[in-house]
Amino acid sequence: MRTPTSYDAIILGAGGAGLMCAAVAGQRGRKVLVIDHADQPGKKILISGGGRCNFTNIHTAPDRYLSANKHFAKSALSRYTADDFIALVNRYDIAWHEKTLGQLFCDGSAKQIVAMLMDECPAETVTVSLGQSITNVRHGDSVYQVDYGDQSATAPSLVIATGGPSIPKMGATSFAYEIARQFRLKIVEPRPALVPLTLGGEETLFRSLSGVSAPIIARCGKTAFREAALFTHKGLSGPAILQISSFWRHGEAVKVDFVPDLKPDWLTQLKREKPRISLSSAVNAHLPTRLCETLLDRIALSGDLGNLADRKLEEAAHRLSHWSFMPNGTEGYAKAEVTAGGISTAELSSQNMEARQMPGLYAIGEAVDVTGWLGGYNFQWAWASGWAAAQTL
Ligand code: FDA
């Protein structure tokens, strides 16, 4: 091992948060080392948004994030906003478009975002060291020392930016939590989020609908999302389900409204207008055929509307708008777009992400217990938290 090289800050992880932090600190004249075990920076950026990176959301607001402390993200999000990131993207002439619900994507490729972030890191101040295993991290005499590969570095500041364990095959690890525990920072139990839900038991039958999608409202407790759902060979996915999965806990039901635009009495009203229409035609007018057949099969009701009692039709309409699924799990970290939970916000300053009890230690991005909705919110948190930490490194 060589004599340690000294820096102003060492950043562990060259993902979205780590690169933003390095770029801004480097531009402030700080000598920064970024270490990552991956052979490329920003690997999750590259695969995000189907290769086009949903890099922010114009509706970014603290209420679009889950955290044990719902106020924690306010400061960072208000000081580095979606508009700030859009201005940066525009400065690099990266063409973009709004896809839906305020979600901004590159017209071209996510590679442009990674290239931009790397370009933002001044060569004179920022060193990015890739393909390096971090073998040891220690602290003494107000200095952090990191051993990596066959080298060693020291700095008065250390930033944990190694994300969460979702998608381990891309090199994601729980390293952030190991370092946090080493320095006695509390962890909010991590769990897969923005993840497909699995169905078992009686509900295994729904797997035969694999590939069918429908616009729905998914509810869990008081939270609801109106977007598409997709049946899979394991259970349920699609944006509405991914969104609700972040709020779902084992043993809870997910309620699905399959007919979100219809009033509770729509079937009895239709009976008055068209008594000869069959229940299946009535429902099929609003739902894909295979889904309609499966749902009506389970409701166990058929025939012309005119021949069915109002009470039965009201019950059927109610079930279609309050379908209760009891997921038996999720597809886990292998399929989770993010990890909810993580380094407790109670340990960190919301101003600059520095640990209250461990001066010079910072945590940013997905490693922290702040998790955004689907739709560019997680990158905006990575940029904003990275920027906030960089102000005081
Ligand atoms: P991130 O995980 O990006 O970076 C951590 C870095 O640390 C990685 O480079 C990793 O190699 C490194 N590392 C980990 N362990 C290490 C170790 N032990 N030693 C050294 N280095 C280590 N969000 C969004 O807003 N819009 C989107 O379109 C998408 N799309 C999307 C698609 C898919 C498939 C996934 C999996 C995720 C998304 N996300 C997303 C979520 C988004 O990718 C995520 O929230 C951010 O990348 C988090 O940024 P961080 O920098 O915190 O972690």
Side-chain angles (χ1 to χ4, degrees), residues 12-19 35-38 40-45 47-50 52-56 105 132-134 161-164 166-167 170-176 194 335-338 364-367 373-382 385:
L12 307 181
L19 291 178
I35 310 169
D36 202 298
H37 64 177
Q40 282 181 283
K43 273 188 155 179
K44 276 196 185 165
I45 301 175
I47 59 153
S48 68
R52 291 220 161 89
C53 186
N54 176 193
F55 55 80
T56 193
F105 286 75
Q132 303 291 338
S133 307
I134 299 164
T162 50
S166 41
I167 321 280
M170 298 211 49
T173 67
S174 297
F175 189 66
L194 299 181
K335 291 285 162 65
E337 206 161 282
V338 287
I364 57 175
E366 198 177 316
W373 290 3
L374 185 76
Y377 296 103
N378 284 297
F379 278 135
Q380 188 57 39
W381 169 247
S385 57

Side-chain angles (χ1 to χ4, degrees), residues 244-319:
I244 212 73
S245 73
S246 301
F247 296 82
W248 177 81
R249 299 300 175 108
H250 277 270
E252 283 182 344
V254 171
K255 299 267 185 194
V256 171
D257 184 350
F258 284 110
V259 284
D261 291 319
L262 300 179
K263 296 197 174 123
D265 63 350
W266 72 281
L267 277 174
T268 45
Q269 286 294 334
L270 193 62
K271 174 179 163 178
R272 311 273 176 268
E273 292 156 27
K274 297 180 179 169
R276 293 227 183 112
I277 194 175
S278 68
L279 177 63
S280 88
S281 309
V283 176
N284 200 187
H286 301 282
L287 291 179
T289 307
R290 277 164 66 203
L291 175 58
C292 165
E293 283 167 1
T294 306
L295 296 178
L296 287 181
D297 204 45
R298 293 180 73 94
I299 290 175
L301 193 66
S302 61
D304 289 350
L305 295 183
N307 294 332
L308 296 169
D310 280 5
R311 191 179 51 81
K312 290 273 180 203
L313 290 176
E314 280 158 14
E315 272 171 27
H318 186 267
R319 282 204 62 194

